[in-house]
Amino acid sequence: MTETPALHALWPAPVADAAVHATVTVPGSKSVTNRALVLAALAAEPGWVRRPLRSRDSQLMSDALRAMGVGIEETVSSSSAPAADGSVGGEAWRIIPAALHGPTTVDVGNAGTVMRFLPPVATLADGDIRFDGDPRSYERPLGQVITALRTLGARIDDDGRGALPLTVQGGGALEGGTVEIDASNSSQFVSALLLSAPRFNQGVEVRHVGGNLPSMPHIRMTVEMLRAAGAQVDTPEAGGEKDVWRVAPGALLGRDMVVEPDLSNAQPFLAAALITGGTVTIPDWPRRTTQPGDALRRIFTEMGGSCELTDAGLVFTGTGKIHGIDVDLSEVGELTPGIAAVAALADSESVLRGVAHLRLHETDRLAALTKEINALGGDVTETADGLHIRPRPLHGGTFHTYDDHRMATAGAVIGLAVKGVEIENVATTAKTLPDFPKMWTDMLAGDGGDPAAPGPGAGA
């Protein structure tokens, strides 16, 4: 891994002086990697996770599982091409399940998947598992998971906080059963219970009883991965009751899983093509996926680009003209920072809706985007459930990240078209996108720009 800029140092965001033409290989999906690690750790036999994301979040997950007794062996093939037997080369982790045990302490950092997916796993351990993390992790919602686990038979000591830090008093098993949960703040609450449910004595029936459930693609991802591991899952999509999921108890199978590229992390690179009127190709873009990032094909096309799925991957082309958009992002909230950055450079107003839950993410993303874009001369207003963005000529300045990886990449996107933007703590991108600064500069070097292509969009 290349050296990243020092924490909180200012990183001058490169300006695109020509249309971007590049092929960008995006690392594996964090959401898929961390779900795959949990399912493999709970399986009845060893399995493989191939082309995993190696980042802070996935390292926190693997370190936590190791601390609870799971074996994880890392190997690297010299070739990423499929072998004669159809197996895929590149980096691979062999997961060797074992009896989970404590006492140990798990560092969740500020990773939502770790702080929410692993307490249910810890109920299956023999011994106490303490969970702690970054200061921001204490503020992120976890109470619904804690209450649900207690309903299912778990013993958890959180000193009444309903948040981190906490200790799960593992008894080696969990009874399971039926539980109601309000997951309107995070779909991860549902996924957390479903992932471990096959190991619960009665399985689980999860009933969401709150408001609108955000990020449904992530729950569908959890369900598909559970089924691939041999679990029996009944879902609303399969004709079941609305907002009710049932997982039967049973053994999980060790599988050989290839992790897709992280489509949400492809966003800043696709945005570069849109803003500069260039072309960016993302290899290995899946033709069918549960990843929310796949919605970028539709959203960025509506904002002025065009795309095509080819044998080489997703080929996205911009015209250099960026149009505003009125869009409900409730199912794909993680895309909001990048879309807001592009919208700030558009030729008309944008309304981003359905993302009130982003106030509870790595930072309050709605407040942060409003403050940082406006500090560069923008005109962004928070609404009850999103942002209203009125494009204005932007100028340089410091773009703060609040230790949020998607704020950092959003600032880099704006910096393509606005001179003098400096990103504070760009190193926070290591959470899910290691080596982002180098990937960004390599993309700009690309294959050389087309001198006849349009330059950067509005706000330059």
Side-chain angles (χ1 to χ4, degrees), residues 246-264:
R246 297 182 182 90
V247 181
L252 291 172
L253 307 175
R255 292 300 196 191
D256 193 326
M257 175 170 292
V258 180
V259 178
E260 299 172 351
D262 193 315
L263 307 188
S264 295

Side-chain angles (χ1 to χ4, degrees), residues 104 106 183 220 316 395 412 419:
T104 191
V106 167
R220 288 191 283 270
F316 188 86
H395 55 72
K419 294 180 180 179

